[in-house]
Amino acid sequence: MTQIDFPSAYDNEAVHRQVKLLMMQHKQLNIRVEEEEVWISCQGMTGLRYLLNDDSWDWILGYLQTGDYEDFGVFPSAVSHIVNDGYKENKVKGLVEQGCNILPVSFHRETEAYISLRAFFKFGKLFFRIRRTDDFINYLIEQKLW
């Protein structure tokens, strides 16, 4: 009889602890934002997959802005797996409203289906790749980012 081994559930708590250790070392984090997760890398380490919730997003953003790595009230295992349409667009709009330094990556406007944006902070960078829509392009133009 053959035994079937199922992979264990993803351990977001362990990744959270690893990210906090990187923060405690004041590493420059490069964070690629996806729909419900981020991929975190820094010098010497690549590809940590970290699942997001609102508290963990605020925690990461707080570190990038101030270097504060305190994670009281952040529960990385409390992740909802609901993909929210416009999640990345809403995060970019929130950063723009906060006055963060966001720059688009130049490309051929007529041929690219995605817009690449980078947000620069004292302790790292956020990378966004957002599907190009007229509404989002108009928003970027209104905010003088385009």
Side-chain angles (χ1 to χ4, degrees):
M1 177 185 262
T2 305
Q3 181 178 356
I4 300 173
D5 292 327
F6 293 102
S8 61
Y10 183 76
D11 189 6
N12 206 43
E13 295 276 344
V15 175
H16 179 86
R17 288 190 299 274
Q18 182 65 42
V19 171
K20 186 172 180 179
L21 286 173
L22 294 172
M23 290 177 175
M24 292 171 76
Q25 297 170 11
H26 296 289
K27 295 280 188 176
Q28 287 286 315
L29 300 181
N30 296 315
I31 302 172
R32 185 173 44 114
V33 180
E34 300 295 334
E35 291 303 325
E36 61 184 19
E37 65 193 10
V38 294
W39 290 87
I40 301 172
S41 62
C42 66
Q43 185 176 2
M45 179 174 290
T46 60
L48 285 175
R49 178 179 172 236
Y50 183 63
L51 302 176
L52 289 176
N53 59 35
D54 289 335
D55 293 331
S56 60
W57 171 258
D58 292 339
W59 175 63
I60 287 173
L61 198 57
Y63 172 76
L64 291 174
Q65 293 172 333
T66 66
D68 181 22
Y69 51 82
E70 179 57 50
D71 61 352
F72 181 76
V74 177
F75 302 102
S77 59
V79 177
S80 64
H81 294 285
I82 299 171
V83 176
N84 184 359
D85 282 340
Y87 178 82
K88 291 189 283 186
E89 291 89 341
N90 291 335
K91 293 301 181 191
V92 168
K93 289 177 181 179
L95 293 172
V96 169
E97 290 170 8
Q98 291 179 19
C100 295
N101 186 13
I102 299 177
L103 297 172
V105 177
S106 61
F107 63 92
H108 295 23
R109 294 182 185 200
E110 291 78 25
T111 60
E112 296 291 326
Y114 289 89
I115 300 167
S116 295
L117 299 165
R118 292 182 182 163
F120 298 93
F121 300 94
K122 183 176 181 180
F123 291 94
K125 299 178 212 94
L126 290 172
F127 299 90
F128 294 91
R129 188 168 185 254
I130 300 173
R131 182 165 288 282
R132 180 185 166 137
T133 62
D134 290 339
D135 291 338
F136 193 64
I137 294 286
N138 290 337
Y139 175 78
L140 293 176
I141 290 170
E142 289 171 9
Q143 298 300 319
K144 296 181 175 63
L145 293 173
W146 196 255

